[in-house]
Amino acid sequence: MPSGLWRIAMAAGVPVGYSDRVLREVFDIPGWGIAYVVGLAVLSELASLFPLLLVSDRWRPLRPRTLAALAWTASALLVLVALWQLVVAFTVESRTYMSSGTAQTVWGFAFAPLIAIPPLMTAVTWAYAQRHRVLGGRGARPQTSGGDRRSPSGGQD
């Protein structure tokens, strides 16, 4: 959420640490850059809702096996994107655009929570796969939650 708000503030013209020249030449703001930055903020927020599919069994848009495969793919991509963002954040080029150290600190605090997303998504994915027994890809039947309370001998408890 903080990075999305930072991006929307940037698109709205709030001074977020970039000079007007950098906003125009590098980010194309005002212009198509506004659509890109706002679209990226909206896409990020929508993507953040994906783990909710994994923690709740109320609404299942996909079979557990398919959802687990999709979640593992998303987790791997998130790890790659996070590593790439760390590289970009610590390169000399990315630091030269900011107008002050304070702006860079605010930017750092706004984007720091994004580093937690890949390990958290991986943990939620792992728990989902364990719950539905699709971790190994064999896809055994999902565990029931409360409705089927038969003992191993077939009788009711």
Side-chain angles (χ1 to χ4, degrees):
M1 182 67 95
S3 62
L5 293 174
W6 187 88
R7 285 182 179 123
I8 290 179
M10 179 176 150
V14 174
V16 292
Y18 295 120
S19 68
D20 289 338
R21 185 177 73 63
V22 169
L23 287 174
R24 271 192 319 278
E25 294 175 6
V26 176
F27 296 105
D28 196 23
I29 294 175
W32 283 103
I34 292 173
Y36 171 73
V37 170
V38 171
L40 191 57
V42 169
L43 182 66
S44 298
E45 296 306 318
L46 288 174
S48 71
L49 296 175
F50 180 70
L52 293 177
L53 293 174
L54 303 175
V55 297
S56 173
D57 286 332
R58 287 185 134 162
W59 183 64
R60 290 191 189 172
L62 302 169
R63 293 179 312 152
R65 227 176 171 182
T66 305
L67 191 56
L70 186 62
W72 281 119
T73 303
S75 293
L77 286 172
L78 284 169
V79 167
L80 291 174
V81 167
L83 291 174
W84 175 250
Q85 289 302 311
L86 283 173
V87 168
V88 169
F90 291 110
T91 60
V92 175
E93 181 182 2
S94 68
R95 291 181 181 202
T96 59
Y97 293 137
M98 287 286 177
S99 61
S100 71
T102 303
Q104 194 170 7
T105 301
V106 171
W107 176 86
F109 279 118
F111 282 84
L114 295 179
I115 299 302
I117 292 173
L120 292 173
M121 179 65 184
T122 303
V124 169
T125 301
W126 183 81
Y128 179 84
Q130 288 294 311
R131 196 169 65 244
H132 291 280
R133 295 184 185 157
V134 294
L135 187 60
R138 291 187 173 78
R141 305 183 94 191
Q143 296 175 349
T144 57
S145 57
D148 189 15
R149 296 188 185 261
R150 290 186 207 138
S151 66
S153 63
Q156 291 290 338
D157 288 337

